[in-house]
Amino acid sequence: DGGITQSPKYLFRKEGQNVTLSCEQNLNHDAMYWYRQDPGQGLRLIYYSQIVNDFQKGDIAEGYSVSREKKESFPLTVTSAQKNPTAFYLCASSIRTVSSSNQPQHFGDGTRLSIL
Amino acid sequence: RKEVEQDPGPFNVPEGATVAFNCTYSNSASQSFFWYRQDCRKEPKLLMSVYSSGNEDGRFTAQLNRASQYISLLIRDSKLSDSATYLCVAKRDFGNEKLTFGTGTRLTIIP
């Protein structure tokens, strides 16, 4: 089946520890995204990548890092510099075309990160 | 002011009723719009794109008013399974793939 796979579904982190969230897609989408969702808030963009080996900061990139070495993979590292990492993390992907109107993003089923 | 604003609700509506909610956006550069549905503790799923001419998908109708910068979603003959949070989303195009999400409107359909 085509889709976006995030792992793990639940992740617990100790204070001061870096953790990496996995996101893989087999939709052949060029663009991939990481969002964070907190209770009562909308999705906030952390990082995005429109092409392999290139990525851009979103609105809340501090304390996070990403890589895009392969088209199908866009892992997110939550570093110890992120002081409030407890949240629901969502990865998404989309087609990127010259005329990209009405090309929606499709989401993985998320990773819940909690601090021990 | 938030770039995309929605009434958070909750809207509690009896089964079979028609329910409508709006969303306003502040950035006139926004070109594409979507409604997503998010169930509790799940990922958002695309409900429908919103076209300038308005579009319908079964019991769901979406409208876009560019002059007033708002988007609407109408649900007819509501079902219990329609209970969810509905997210309004705006996208600037022309090479910018970033989406801006509203905080969502929570809808509960009551038997």
Side-chain angles (χ1 to χ4, degrees), chain A residues 33 35 37 41-43 45 48 50 59 88 90 94-96 100-105 107-109 112, chain B residues 32-34 36 38 41-44 46 49-51 87 91 93-99 101-103:
Chain A
Y33 314 81
Y35 294 90
Q37 189 175 35
Q41 295 195 37
L43 278 68
L45 183 64
Y48 65 106
Q50 299 194 64
D59 301 317
F88 186 37
L90 288 156
S94 70
I95 294 170
R96 178 174 180 265
S100 57
S101 296
N102 294 108
Q103 293 295 338
Q105 293 178 11
F107 287 83
D109 58 5
R112 292 196 179 274
Chain B
S32 300
F33 305 90
F34 309 93
Y36 279 76
Q38 187 173 24
R41 299 179 69 80
K42 298 285 189 180
E43 76 277 18
L46 178 68
S49 301
V50 185
Y51 301 111
L87 305 173
K91 186 173 93 162
D93 289 314
F94 312 124
N96 188 336
E97 306 289 337
K98 291 172 60 176
L99 296 185
F101 286 78
T103 54

Side-chain angles (χ1 to χ4, degrees), chain A residues 21 33-34 46-49 54-57 61 64-69 74-79:
Chain A
L21 283 58
Y33 314 81
W34 274 106
I46 304 172
Y47 267 100
Y48 65 106
S49 168
D54 185 56
F55 49 82
Q56 308 293 329
K57 290 183 179 180
Y64 300 97
S65 66
V66 293
S67 63
R68 186 82 187 280
E69 296 175 3
F74 191 39
L76 173 74
T77 296
V78 184
T79 74

Side-chain angles (χ1 to χ4, degrees), chain B residues 44-90:
Chain B
K45 292 185 178 178
L46 178 68
L47 180 65
M48 57 198 306
S49 301
V50 185
Y51 301 111
S52 296
S53 55
N55 49 302
E56 188 173 311
D57 182 3
R59 297 181 294 108
F60 298 84
T61 301
Q63 296 277 356
L64 167 62
N65 185 318
R66 287 193 185 274
S68 301
Q69 295 187 195
Y70 78 81
I71 306 145
S72 64
L73 179 67
L74 180 79
I75 306 174
R76 288 181 298 278
D77 187 24
S78 53
K79 312 290 185 190
L80 296 177
S81 57
D82 294 333
S83 298
T85 296
Y86 290 84
L87 305 173
C88 175
V89 183

